[in-house]
Amino acid sequence: MDTFLASHPVNPAPVEHVPGGGVVVIQGSPRPGGNCGILASWAAEEARNAGVETMVIYPHDMDIHPCIGCYQCYNTGTCVFQDEMTALIDDVAKSRLVVICSPVYTNTVPAGLKALLDRFQALHGEITLGGHSPPKRGLLMAVAGRKGIQNFRCVSGVIKAFFSLVDITPLSPVLIDGMDEIRDVRTVPGLEDHVRSKVKECLDSE
Ligand SMILES: Cc1cc2nc3c(=O)[nH]c(=O)nc-3n(C[C@H](O)[C@H](O)[C@H](O)COP(=O)(O)O)c2cc1C
């Protein structure tokens, strides 16, 4: 495992915020140098190559109070908790592309990523109250240890619900199964080119 981690590139440096029309990459794995980290770095690099301001965020490094379901956001358009999610919700609302990289953990997304997604009820509250959220697209890239597309059923459902909640139009996802055997996404033929051209095409088509 140490060799595996040591052989991986460092994640792209996060920026604090992106201006309107930027790209937000959410790296949902707690392992900074794992496969989601690599997928996130390809997407972020491609977006930056296209001249688009891009931020990469790591839910497991953030201070995120879990949603308590008080529904105050549907009265005020903002969450009762003011933590690192406040700025992130604003960044996502203004962005043009949201990329989510997630491993399958116990059939679903890791806990830190789930806490982040739940807090976007506040953006739904804001939109419901008439807040402006420009059109944007969303790309899910997920990895699973086990073989078989069925391992992504829950992750795909969670991310689909999130995209739908905050008016994000989904692109076709990139799902890589069998990672227990493959170990390193960089060894999957054509994958890096596929990810890069997906991000590039999405940004070019606007
Ligand atoms: C806590 C935990 C739970 C996992 N649960 C599943 C699972 O339910 N199904 C599966 O296919 N893989 C599962 N895996 C394997 C991961 O999806 C796989 O190792 C993935 O490549 C990790 O992504 P990363 O390299 O970006 O961290 C699990 C791994 C961990 C650490």
Side-chain angles (χ1 to χ4, degrees):
M1 183 58 86
D2 285 349
T3 317
F4 175 72
L5 290 177
S7 70
H8 282 66
V10 175
N11 281 299
V15 296
E16 288 205 331
H17 298 291
V18 282
V23 172
V24 178
V25 180
I26 300 171
Q27 201 292 78
S29 170
R31 295 199 315 145
N35 289 299
C36 288
I38 294 167
L39 293 167
S41 72
W42 291 340
E45 191 177 79
E46 201 55 40
R48 287 176 183 142
N49 288 346
V52 181
E53 292 265 10
T54 301
M55 65 189 280
V56 182
I57 63 117
Y58 308 91
H60 290 82
D61 290 346
M62 291 172 66
D63 171 27
I64 301 175
H65 195 295
C67 174
I68 56 167
C70 66
Y71 290 97
Q72 280 303 312
C73 51
Y74 290 92
N75 295 324
T76 63
T78 54
C79 185
V80 293
F81 297 112
Q82 298 295 306
D83 53 20
E84 289 183 80
M85 285 302 297
T86 311
L88 178 65
I89 289 171
D90 194 45
D91 288 323
V92 165
K94 291 183 309 191
S95 71
R96 75 166 84 167
L97 172 65
V98 178
V99 179
I100 300 180
C101 304
S102 178
V104 176
Y105 267 23
T106 322
N107 240 10
T108 185
V109 296
L113 177 57
K114 184 62 165 55
L116 179 149
L117 298 173
D118 287 348
R119 286 285 302 280
F120 272 88
Q121 285 291 337
L123 180 55
H124 186 241
E126 190 184 333
I127 295 168
T128 305
L129 291 171
H132 178 59
S133 182
K136 56 187 69 67
R137 287 189 271 184
L139 172 63
L140 166 65
M141 298 198 280
V143 292
R146 298 193 192 123
K147 281 187 183 164
I149 208 73
Q150 72 277 9
N151 291 295
F152 296 105
R153 200 179 303 140
C154 186
V155 168
S156 299
V158 167
I159 302 302
K160 187 177 167 198
F162 165 71
F163 285 159
S164 164
L165 181 77
V166 292
D167 288 347
I168 295 177
T169 306
L171 298 165
S172 60
V174 176
L175 307 175
I176 308 121
D177 63 329
M179 287 311 304
D180 286 348
E181 228 170 76
I182 298 169
R183 309 288 293 169
D184 183 340
V185 280
R186 290 173 301 183
T187 66
V188 178
L191 181 62
E192 180 172 356
D193 285 348
H194 178 60
V195 169
R196 286 180 182 278
S197 53
K198 231 176 151 60
V199 171
K200 188 172 184 315
E201 277 164 27
C202 174
L203 296 174
D204 284 352
S205 68
E206 288 165 352

